[in-house]
Amino acid sequence: MSKKLLEHIFNPTDLRKLDVSLLPQLAKELREFIIDIVSVKEGHLGASLGVIELTIALHYVFDTPNDLLVWDVGHQAYGHKILTERRKKFNTNRQLGGISGFPKRSESVYDTFGVGHSSTSISAALGMAIASQLKGENKNHIAVIGDASIASGMAFEGLNHAGVTDANLLIILNDNAIGIDPSVGALKNYLTAVKEGKNPKQNNIIKSLNIAYSGPIDGHDIDGLIKELERLKKVKGPKFLHIITTKGKGLQQAEEDQVKYHAPGKFDASTGEILKKSNENLPPKFQDVFGLTLVELAKNNPNIIGVTPAMPSGSSMKFMMEAFPKRAIDVGIAEQHAVTLSAGMATQGMVVFCNIYSTFLQRAYDQVIHDVALQNLPVIFCLDRAGLVGEDGATHHGVFDLAYLRCIPNMIIFAPKDEIELQNILYTASLGLKHPIAIRYPRGLGKIPNFEIPNSKNFQKIEIGKAHKLKKGKKVAILSTGTIAYNVTDALAEIEDEGHFAHYHFGFVKPLDEKKLHKICDKFSTIITVEDGVTTGGFGSAVLEFSAKNDYVNEIFLCGVPDYFIEHGTVDELQQFCNIDVDGLKSLFSGLLEEEEEDED
């Protein structure tokens, strides 16, 4: 059969005109369409391939968008987007000015709830269902959640509430035994037993919560899915459908290596082979610097423990898990638990490296304050993906950490400018600190070509709270924190400033090097701060506060992420948008030079 069905499907109304017998062919075309575009444009692949039949069945059976469909996380929503009026735009997915890689309310009426972080779907859909009830509406409300996400605390909170309501809510568990990395924990073991028929029906967790349970059924049997969804439409109150799927379904390599093909980058659509990139003379990834350095430190200190909430591959905690499996713990999608678990270990003298993406630490904010900082426990937070992360967009940018951590008493905050400083601060923290510390570093490649990791012979202890001068100058002081220092250096190299600008690296955002700041404020009338985080409450705000507190009257310019949510695009494009790229900084510096020259004339 030639490809022709998908070409005529613009929305679910068109989909519902098809005979059920044609839906398997549509599923085949939809998979091929996603593979063809993602192979070139990149994005999340395996998750969407795994739910093609479910996606078609849901829009076929339910009256979307009148019936409200919520996708947990949203990695798996590509098929949904294509079937809901965005097929012709799908080649812009995750690109600057294009459609988002995640469901987004402002993008489409079919995207009923904005997502990107896990485990929100049950609570959101339940909220919608209760609201519909109160308004006297007859709507269906569906939450699709994975087996990794449903193990998170918030999902359990939603289930706990749903079981005491009569809300018209259908929860679909997409059970494929993997999130980004393989699922872990007792609940995963329970679901495995259910799939294998080893768990007695009277021991069903969901039924015990007063939610009607059905399944498990084959999530790739589109006829079976449609029949069961049609049945469940008539069942009143909260219900739960357990389906079994294969992540990466339809592409052999994606089925066989589900971790790598979660987001494989560019690949050959016909063979599935990932296109190799040249690593010659490239710096290592910051993630690998962290992971391999941690292993090196752990060799000499049996009290070192690694903790990560479901990100062992992405954070490179996998190296620690391979070398010291009993001392590296993946707790699943449970950031709050990860933080308090780390705190508990710290009370017993363990040196705990808690590795969490910057955007996900937001989910454990109270635990950072109440369980760690308030008790002044020396947990070492390693905040991966700090700053602008690129194509994942607003839900994933790690731009708030400096602001939300800086206000917490006892917290040390450090942003290394390169791999050397990252290694050295990890080494310093491993020796023992009197306070908790947050170490933030960006996604992707470092700054030093052919950097050797780990290079334990060259580890050096860092003095806490010490800033460093990178360039001498006479008129204007530029203060940067973290890896954005390289943009400043490159921008200065492109202008003839004749010693006009001084450049200082403030790795420690807290405590600030106040001794150095006093000298800077006394010497320079103009100060520029540069950071890859929000300027509201961030590093620049700290400098302004210092200036005001000490009655300085310097002219201070803050460069960083402005006070609104930044959408998706490449990191270079987004830095350019925020005017913290090399050209943007060069323009700022050149403008100040011209003003100085005009004043002198």
Side-chain angles (χ1 to χ4, degrees), residues 493-512:
E494 293 185 15
I495 61 176
E496 296 179 7
D497 73 324
E498 298 179 352
H500 196 90
F501 294 97
H503 182 198
Y504 296 85
H505 166 54
F506 278 73
F508 288 97
V509 174
K510 188 174 184 180
L512 282 172

Side-chain angles (χ1 to χ4, degrees), residues 11-12 59 63-69 80 84-86 104-113 128:
N11 54 49
H59 285 294
D63 181 26
T64 55
N66 182 57
D67 289 335
L68 302 173
L69 172 60
H80 159 80
T84 55
E85 302 176 349
R86 285 164 283 182
K104 187 175 179 182
R105 292 187 71 222
S106 61
E107 186 178 293
S108 171
V109 294
Y110 292 93
D111 293 356
T112 61
F113 200 75
M128 295 171 183

Side-chain angles (χ1 to χ4, degrees), residues 240-255:
F240 189 102
L241 173 60
H242 184 175
I243 71 169
I244 310 301
T245 64
T246 300
K247 187 173 182 178
K249 180 73 172 178
L251 184 65
Q252 183 178 348
Q253 290 89 336
E255 293 184 34

Side-chain angles (χ1 to χ4, degrees), residues 175 177 187-198:
D175 186 355
L187 184 61
K188 179 253 185 179
N189 294 338
Y190 166 81
L191 292 173
T192 299
V194 170
K195 286 186 283 188
E196 295 175 351
K198 297 178 180 178

Side-chain angles (χ1 to χ4, degrees), residues 63-85:
D63 181 26
T64 55
N66 182 57
D67 289 335
L68 302 173
L69 172 60
V70 181
W71 296 93
D72 207 274
V73 185
H75 285 151
Q76 73 279 49
Y78 287 3
H80 159 80
K81 291 203 168 203
I82 293 163
L83 294 176
T84 55
E85 302 176 349

Side-chain angles (χ1 to χ4, degrees), residues 318-338:
K318 61 183 180 181
F319 297 126
M320 180 76 171
M321 296 176 79
E322 292 165 359
F324 302 102
K326 292 185 177 180
R327 292 163 55 194
I329 305 168
D330 177 2
V331 299
I333 303 177
E335 291 86 0
Q336 293 175 303
H337 171 60

Side-chain angles (χ1 to χ4, degrees), residues 83 129 138 163 167 175 261 266 355 379 417 427 452 512 555 569-570 598:
L83 294 176
N138 183 25
D175 186 355
Y261 280 81
K266 290 183 172 64
N355 186 290
V379 174
K417 70 179 178 66
Y427 169 69
E452 181 185 348
L512 282 172
E555 188 174 23
T570 67
E598 289 175 3

